[in-house]
Amino acid sequence: WLITGAGLPFDPVTMQPVSGSPLIDRAAAMPPALATAYPLMRQLDAQRRVVTRGLNGAASDLGAVER
């Protein structure tokens, strides 16, 4: 994916995708062997603390956090 446009598709402070961002629900599923070996289970919150990463929507969001 090539992200284009005048603004950032995420908030640079919180690293969360902004509303309407092309990053939302765009991650492709990992192959089963990789998903088992490297599960995506953690992300950073607004204070840069490690928290459990959930799934909101049809697919994971691209980037550091799930919105």
Side-chain angles (χ1 to χ4, degrees):
W1 276 73
L2 176 62
I3 310 268
T4 61
L8 290 174
F10 62 91
D11 180 318
V13 175
T14 65
M15 303 303 285
Q16 289 195 7
V18 296
S19 184
S21 171
L23 302 175
I24 297 174
D25 295 343
R26 296 300 178 132
M30 290 196 302
L34 286 178
T36 301
Y38 304 102
L40 184 56
M41 301 181 337
R42 306 273 186 248
Q43 68 181 28
L44 299 177
D45 68 7
Q47 288 77 40
R48 306 276 196 248
R49 295 177 298 202
V50 177
V51 296
T52 300
R53 183 174 178 142
L55 176 65
N56 297 319
S60 292
D61 297 341
L62 294 175
V65 298
E66 179 73 19
R67 182 182 166 130

